[in-house]
Amino acid sequence: MISMVEGADRQKTPNEITLTIVLAGFTLMFLIVCVGLYPLAGYFNATLDIPTLVALLVCLIPTTIGALLAAIGIAGMARLGAHKVLAMSGRAVEAAGDADVLLLDKTGTITFGNRQADAFIPAEGVKESELAELAELAELADETPEGRSIVELARSRYDLPEREAADVEGEVIAFSANTRMSGLDLADRRIRKGAASQITAWVKENGGSVPGTLDRVVYRISESGGTPLVVADAQRVLGVIHLKDIVKPEIKERFAELREMGVTTVMVTGDNATTAAAIAAEAGVDDFLAEATPEAKLDLIRDYQAKGHLVAMTGDGTNDAPALAQADVAVAMNTGTQAAKEAGNMIDLDSSPTKLISVVQVGKQMLMTRGSLTTFSIANDVAKYFAILPAIFVVALPQIAALNVIHLHTPRSAILSAVIFNALVIPGLIPIALKGVAYRAVSADALLSRNLLIYGLGGLVTPFVGIKIIDLILTACGLG
């Protein structure tokens, strides 16, 4: 387990890589332009000193989005905090917005956590009362809702005596993700309860045989979306316990909303493939992983990542730690083990597995905010470029006066107006960065079209209007 955790490695998100390239590219481009303007101004006998060039560079490089990035990241972490999720960094929130594959536990997330025992189905030659009594005996030490429901069903149907695990002399065999069964070893018998494949293999290892009808019973329960738990006494299969899973009524609509945003949902469960397929179809998930082991979850995440996806998941146990360490967004439950919390990059203080969907939505809202403001910033910088340069060179080159569309008064007022506008626009955008744009469950193409229309066009128009107004004020005050 430790070696799997140490071998895990989180990748950089596409947005992180893209934004780094865009900001570096624009900075380099405007740096080259500003440096190139100095000899160009000398050639045309235009006045352009070093302080003016520095002011021009400050106005043109992407200072707007650069200054807002920290505010956007902190705001994203704060919004997650309102959902009682502690993010270790802004990068973790960003990864949540980029995540396009969600690994979700079936129990507690897709279905209600309390699976209930519905029936005891004995094997041929076994009385139902005997199956119920031994199932109740094996579950005495199990305090899970599932285990208590088996005990309560057996006692209610067969009037079994009230007793506790301490009243029975024997060794409790705890459930584990690897064995996928639990039970009780008494002086004269060994009782096991668990997944059909594991129990039948255990019975055969002990020299026993499996009834031919067992597969049909297990398949029938699985096909209905229930969970079959096989009970055995050493060399003899006693029968099957039918557990019922109830899919949460609102979950299918939430998955449909995520699908609209290009997010693939994957249900992870320890159930067999038939049961998993039935519940996956009812819940509306895109895929499922049945009979999940720590190795299987880790392999699944790496497989998706190798195909270029970013994966988000939740977990609470030590056996979840390798997958959490590998996942791009790893939400550990606050009630989980220390290993799980150290492997994750977020901690859910409420320990609610369903919270992962909210985490992804907050992350996507953060990316929507950053995308909107980045579009505005780039358009804003380009617009300032075309607003200022004609005014600077109009004296030396009267031919370009037609390009001075907003008729700035002088090169001096153009530079001053741009510097002042640049100083005002960043504080003006901070409230949007902190509040965030409205979350919309739309595709990336639709979101890009909207950003170009609103923030792109707004970023082009605002500098021309703002710089012109400031230019008029400076001229009126005699500072232009």
Side-chain angles (χ1 to χ4, degrees), residues 217-415:
V217 173
V218 168
Y219 181 79
R220 187 174 71 248
I221 294 172
S222 301
E223 194 177 33
S224 69
T227 301
L229 295 178
V230 179
V231 181
D233 181 4
Q235 299 179 342
R236 186 169 62 131
V237 173
L238 300 173
V240 184
I241 305 170
H242 181 185
L243 295 178
K244 276 193 172 180
D245 263 314
I246 302 174
V247 174
K248 292 182 178 180
E250 77 284 357
I251 204 73
K252 192 168 187 176
E253 287 72 22
R254 298 196 76 174
F255 289 157
E257 184 178 310
L258 288 169
R259 193 174 297 111
E260 275 187 44
M261 301 178 69
V263 178
T264 299
T265 51
V266 182
M267 183 182 76
V268 178
T269 176
D271 292 336
N272 62 63
T274 306
T275 300
I279 295 175
E282 184 180 352
V285 295
D286 300 302
D287 200 359
F288 64 88
L289 175 65
E291 300 182 356
T293 62
E295 294 82 3
K297 285 188 275 190
L298 183 59
D299 289 342
L300 180 66
I301 291 173
R302 285 176 173 166
D303 183 54
Y304 272 114
Q305 289 174 335
K307 295 174 182 175
H309 297 284
L310 268 77
V311 182
M313 72 164 288
T314 59
D316 60 357
T318 301
N319 62 322
D320 291 322
L324 286 170
Q326 182 67 37
D328 301 286
V329 182
V331 184
M333 301 294 103
N334 193 39
T335 55
T337 63
Q338 188 63 29
K341 287 189 272 191
E342 288 180 0
N345 53 13
M346 295 186 188
I347 297 176
D348 177 11
L349 301 179
D350 284 339
S351 298
S352 170
T354 313
K355 197 78 67 71
L356 181 60
I357 298 174
S358 299
V359 168
V360 171
Q361 289 176 338
V362 169
K364 289 195 177 296
Q365 184 191 21
M366 173 184 158
L367 289 187
M368 288 177 181
T369 302
R370 199 172 71 180
S372 299
L373 294 183
T374 300
T375 303
F376 180 91
S377 175
I378 292 173
N380 175 67
D381 291 330
V382 171
K384 283 186 292 184
Y385 180 81
F386 285 102
I388 299 169
L389 287 187
I392 292 174
F393 285 94
V394 71
V395 175
L397 296 171
Q399 299 90 336
I400 66 169
L403 297 178
N404 186 16
V405 292
I406 55 176
H407 304 293
L408 297 179
H409 191 249
T410 64
R412 174 184 168 83
S413 70
I415 291 292

Side-chain angles (χ1 to χ4, degrees), residues 50-319:
I50 298 299
T52 301
L53 273 178
V54 173
L56 189 62
L57 180 62
V58 170
C59 291
L60 295 182
I61 62 174
T63 50
T64 309
I65 190 59
L68 294 173
L69 283 177
I72 295 169
I74 292 170
M77 294 172 69
R79 279 194 288 275
L80 275 183
H83 288 270
K84 294 188 177 180
V85 176
L86 178 63
M88 305 303 182
S89 66
R91 183 182 176 187
V93 187
E94 177 183 326
D98 269 327
D100 57 355
V101 176
L102 266 61
L103 266 58
L104 302 160
D105 277 332
K106 181 200 72 174
T107 305
T109 305
I110 294 172
T111 65
F112 288 105
N114 301 345
R115 293 188 296 182
Q116 298 293 308
D118 183 63
F120 296 108
I121 304 169
E124 188 175 349
V126 179
K127 292 182 179 180
E128 186 176 331
S129 58
E130 180 186 2
L131 170 61
E133 183 177 0
L134 290 180
E136 185 259 359
L137 193 63
E139 291 297 318
L140 287 177
D142 188 352
E143 293 299 327
T144 64
E146 173 188 299
R148 301 321 299 167
S149 75
I150 294 172
V151 171
E152 290 167 8
L153 180 65
R155 288 177 179 174
S156 64
R157 288 194 178 179
Y158 298 101
D159 197 26
L160 298 177
E162 295 281 340
R163 54 186 171 181
E164 301 297 330
D167 301 330
V168 180
E169 293 184 5
E171 180 187 357
V172 174
I173 308 299
F175 177 84
S176 76
N178 290 324
T179 64
R180 298 180 59 236
M181 60 182 178
S182 59
L184 184 68
D185 282 352
L186 303 174
D188 58 344
R189 64 197 326 171
R190 299 164 64 201
I191 307 167
R192 294 290 185 275
K193 175 227 52 167
S197 58
Q198 303 298 108
I199 295 294
T200 54
W202 181 76
V203 168
K204 290 176 181 178
E205 285 176 7
N206 285 281
S209 59
V210 179
T213 58
L214 180 66
D215 286 344
R216 290 198 296 273
V217 173
V218 168
Y219 181 79
R220 187 174 71 248
I221 294 172
S222 301
E223 194 177 33
S224 69
T227 301
L229 295 178
V230 179
V231 181
D233 181 4
Q235 299 179 342
R236 186 169 62 131
V237 173
L238 300 173
V240 184
I241 305 170
H242 181 185
L243 295 178
K244 276 193 172 180
D245 263 314
I246 302 174
V247 174
K248 292 182 178 180
E250 77 284 357
I251 204 73
K252 192 168 187 176
E253 287 72 22
R254 298 196 76 174
F255 289 157
E257 184 178 310
L258 288 169
R259 193 174 297 111
E260 275 187 44
M261 301 178 69
V263 178
T264 299
T265 51
V266 182
M267 183 182 76
V268 178
T269 176
D271 292 336
N272 62 63
T274 306
T275 300
I279 295 175
E282 184 180 352
V285 295
D286 300 302
D287 200 359
F288 64 88
L289 175 65
E291 300 182 356
T293 62
E295 294 82 3
K297 285 188 275 190
L298 183 59
D299 289 342
L300 180 66
I301 291 173
R302 285 176 173 166
D303 183 54
Y304 272 114
Q305 289 174 335
K307 295 174 182 175
H309 297 284
L310 268 77
V311 182
M313 72 164 288
T314 59
D316 60 357
T318 301
N319 62 322

